[in-house]
Every structure is written in C-alpha cells, then in structure tokens.
Amino acid sequence: MMWPFRIFLVSVTLYSIAYADGFYIAPFLQNVTPDGVTVIYQTNENGQGVVEYGLEGAFDQKAAGPENEMIRKVRITGLKPDTAYSYRVRAGSEAKEHTFKTAPLPSADREVTFAIFGDTRRWENKVEETGFIQDLMRWKPEFFLINGDLVVKGHDYSLWKPHFDRFAEIGATHMILTARGNHEGTMLTDIENDWFAKYHDNPNGEPYSHFTWGNVHVVALAWEQTVNPAMVKPTADWLDAHLGEVKSPYTFVSQHFPIYCTGYHGPTDSRKQPGDDMILFKNVLDKHNVTAHMSGHTHIFERHYPVRDNKRDDRNGVHYLVNGGDINANYGEWWTAYTDNGSGYTKPTYTIYQCKKDRMDIRTFAWSEERKKFEQIDRDIAWKDEATPKGVLGSLASLKGEEQLDAIEQLGAMLYAPAIPALSKLLKSDDAAARQRAAWAISMIGTKESVMALQAYLDDTDAEVRYQAARALEVTMPEPMAKDIAIRVGDAAQDARVRIKLIGALQHHAPAAVTRAAMLDVIASGAPENVRQRAAYALTRVVGQGDVKTLTKAIENEKDAYVTARLAFTLNKVTGFTQNPDQVGKSNPGERKEFIEKWRNAPKEKTAAAL
C-alpha cells in the first residue's frame, strides 16, 4: 500500500565517553513518538550520552542526556513522523549501528501491525533456541507490548541484563512497551531499587502509559493500580476520563492481571477469574467500546468470545485475550473461544494484531516441539462493516486450495453465522482439509445453527470433524440433547478428545442430574485418564450436600492423583470443611480414612453455608 507521505532517511550518531569494556546493556529504544525517541544503554562506568543527528548526514544538531549516569537515557526530539532513521552508539571500541522508524501521526487511514507477548521471565533460552525473533519479525510489527513480568524480581539489579540481552535484537530497532507486572515489583516503595523505572521510559510515564500510533491507541496500566483496593477506583476513573478523549478507530488496554481467565490446568481452579474482581474496569471498557483487552500473569494462552455486560456479544463486545507466554490452560468456560490444549505446543507464544481499515486480524502462534517451528494456534477477526465478511463469503465458491482454506478460516474467525450454510456444503467435500477447516469454522462461530450443522457429524469417520462437532456443543448445546450426549460420553469406542468436549457440553448446558450421573459413571469406568479427569472437573459444578457419601466413596480407592485432588476440592466446596487437595491427591488409595471422616462429619450448618 502506498502512503501519502514521504520517507526521509536520517543518520543519527550517539556516542559516549569511551570505555574499554564496551556495553553492559546494548542500546534499546523507548517512548517512540512522531517527533522523538529515547535511546537507553549502559556501560560499567558513569558518563553522559550525546546524540548528533541531522538529515542526510548533516550532523548539525545535538542532544545530550544527564551527566554522570550509569544508565544513559538520551531523548532525541524534533524528528519527522513515520520516518526511517539510522543511529550508532559507541562504548569504547565497541559500536552498535541500527535503524528505527518514528511513530506515524494519528490517522484513521494509517494501518498498523503490532505484537504482544507476556511473562517472558520464564522463557530462559527459548528466544534463541526457537528463532522466536525471526519468526515474529516476518509479520513486520511496528512496536511490541509485553503484558508484564520481564524478570523474576524487578528490584534485583542482577536480573535485568539477561532480559535486555534476550530482546536486544528487536529492542534496538523497535519500541517495547511493558505494562508493569507484579514481578517487576512496586513503584511505590524501595524506589532506589526500582530498576524497571530506571530502565524504561514509558510513553506518558507510569502508572498510566498511553500513546497513539496511526489508527491505534494503546493504554498500559501498572499492576498495582488494578488490584490495590486504594488505587482501583482512581485508576478506573482515570481510564474512563482518558478513553472519553480517544478518537482512534482501535483502542487497546493492556494490564498484567486478567479480567476473565480459565486459570491453570489443574484440579484446584488456580488463577481462575470469572470477571468478578474487576467490575469497574469491565464497565469502563464496555462504556467506551474498547476494541481489545490484553493481559498475562497466568502462564497460558486463552482468547475469549467478545464480551459485553458479562455475556457474549460478537458485534459489540471487548476482545479479551490472555497471553502469559506459555501453554497450560484449564478447561473452557462460557466466555472461552479458544484455550491452548497443551498437546505438542509450548513456550514461547506471541500474538499479532493487524489493524486494517476494514478489520482487526489477530493471530496467535506457539512453538511446536514435535515439528520444531512456530505454528498458528488461533485466529480472531473483528470486522467493521458486514461488507467485509460478505465479500469473503461471496468469493468462497470460486476458491481452491490454500486460498479456499484461508477464506474458510476467515469466516470462522469472523464468527460470521450467515456463512454456515455455505460452510456446511464443504462438510460433504472429498477434500479432507476443506472438511476439517469447515468444521472448525462452523464450530468457532458457536451458535445454535452451528450445532444443527454439525450434529450429524458426531459419528463422522474423521476424528477431527467429530471433535469440532463436539466442540460446537460445548459452546452451545440445546438442553433436549443432554441425554443423548450423556450416552455418547460413556462410549468407550469414541475418541478421547471428543468425549472431553462432550463432557464440557454437559457441564455447561445440561441439567445437573444428567451431568452428575454421567460424570460418576465415567469416573467409575476404565475410561482414559484424561477423560476421567475431565469428568472429575465437571462434577464439581453439579453436586450438592446430599452427595458427600457418594464423593467420599469415590475418593476412597481412587488411583489417579488429579481425580483424587479434584474430588477433594469438590468435597471442600460441598462440606465447607477445607483440606489440602494436593495433599489428598498425593495420598495412597486406602489411606484416606482420616480425610474422609472429616468431610463426612462436617457440621451441617457449615455444609449449608458452603452451598
């Protein structure tokens, strides 16, 4: 695409007093604006950074940072918007040369691509080992957002160099904006050791960082402002007032802690967030029609259906996403469009946002250990006008091969229900790839029409098509289907992945009595381990005070640690008497008499209160 402005190349030279030992931390960019940039670097001795710069090599202007600084911060101003620059930094005999580009002016017509990732403190050497930066840069992102937790302990000086070394290649050429996470530490006390603040220059400062870049406006909130009771309302009020002034077509809010989150895969609902803890922020996001909310903290990948007023709203909802840099998500909830499933994928992960005039296209990638490459695991498209999905649908019949598969994927990612009849025709295709992609798209759309289109394919010979049919039911299942689905859950010949999704359908949509009976049958059966675990997880939602005896009998001789721990978690909930689920899970079958007696003897008033 041709842009209505000229690109100027400016040569910038940054030099400092020479040090024989060179750089301790190589130069990186912060706070890139249409007319300026901050260059930060560090040597092992104090000094001053100086910048000489000018158009076409005419170094007739100069900018200097503070004197006698260990961490050099040099602010260059008076630059031209959306303009390519080169710069060189010297430290003794060592020199670093890079290029960067200033931010474009705010404009609804200026399309933008950027990337997010999070919780990189846990990536160790994965950036280099996986070729993370090379894969990331093929999308040509203009800036990066990290949802916090760059290091284990932000007030520990020794931990920062590995972080900056890890991302030196992109940090030298692009702005990386981080929403301070809890591992960066507080900005309120021990300020002398607040190395996050010393090493960063967030646009408009902390705790409320924000900037506009072309058709995009970004807000990054520091973690304390979103969870500290004394700060939550002032922060929500600030966000409300600030967003009221924003005119950008796309608005993004990044913070460390999720608003909605399934939590970790495990028996105790660790870090599950059903949207109850940040109501003030949810209300502000809804009020101002924020495009997307990004978070980390929980080391999983999860994307939600668009949510507004605490319910799914495909056209008007906020696109919530949790990218905590790893793969380990729990089973899906009502808000879940996609969670990582852990099968074959691991850290690192990243998400690309392409903010175009007619749509926002979001793709997430994770590392495949088996195939030793990054692969797309999810896609979401928010469209501005119905002409966009109509155009894709109109072209579908004429496309073949990869173009056809991409069009199918787009329609599913757009959640475009009118495409279901055309996609349903492809389920009868002889092309296995087209059938599977069509089943995925119909399932992702996730409406009652999706269920009707896929219901007949629960017995398909293709396991992937069966899986997508089951997934559609997990998203939305008519209650009259519950008894039939309960029978299918017990079918030992069915693929385990399909049974797991059908259990989810019962958990979310079936009468409690039907789900309870089916889950107890599965737990008592010789079903595969992952199917029994899913049944134990679902059982928590459908049992009550009268089930204590049944649950304690089930736990008495259970061999699977997950199932045992989940039953313990459920008994804690039902009886109101709390015992450590992990401890119970590690105990041996036949040695749980003491645990069982405490649950069975829990006071009835305590049990009633728990319910």
Side-chain angles (χ1 to χ4, degrees), residues 301-305 327 335-342 345 377-379 440 444 471:
F301 174 75
E302 175 186 5
R303 178 178 60 81
H304 314 140
Y305 282 109
I327 300 292
W335 59 77
T336 303
Y338 177 86
T339 58
D340 69 67
N341 57 24
Y345 292 105
I377 60 172
D378 183 51
R379 190 174 183 184
W440 172 87
M444 182 57 66
R471 185 198 170 279

Side-chain angles (χ1 to χ4, degrees), residues 283-303:
N283 291 344
V284 172
L285 300 181
D286 286 348
K287 175 181 176 180
H288 295 285
N289 300 307
V290 166
T291 310
H293 179 275
M294 301 91 85
S295 60
H297 186 60
T298 303
H299 309 138
I300 66 170
F301 174 75
E302 175 186 5
R303 178 178 60 81

Side-chain angles (χ1 to χ4, degrees), residues 23 321 324 328 354 506 526 529 557:
F23 294 99
L321 182 144
N328 188 31
Q354 294 175 302
L506 293 179
E529 177 183 275
N557 294 303

Side-chain angles (χ1 to χ4, degrees), residues 118-132:
D119 297 80
T120 57
R121 67 182 179 84
R122 305 177 66 257
W123 286 6
E124 297 91 24
N125 298 321
K126 290 290 186 179
V127 170
E128 182 177 356
E129 291 173 359
T130 62
F132 172 80

Side-chain angles (χ1 to χ4, degrees), residues 29-33 35-39 74-77 79 100:
L29 307 181
Q30 289 281 282
N31 197 7
V32 178
T33 64
D35 66 349
V37 62
T38 300
V39 181
V74 180
R75 183 68 187 170
I76 307 171
T77 60
L79 305 180
F100 72 94

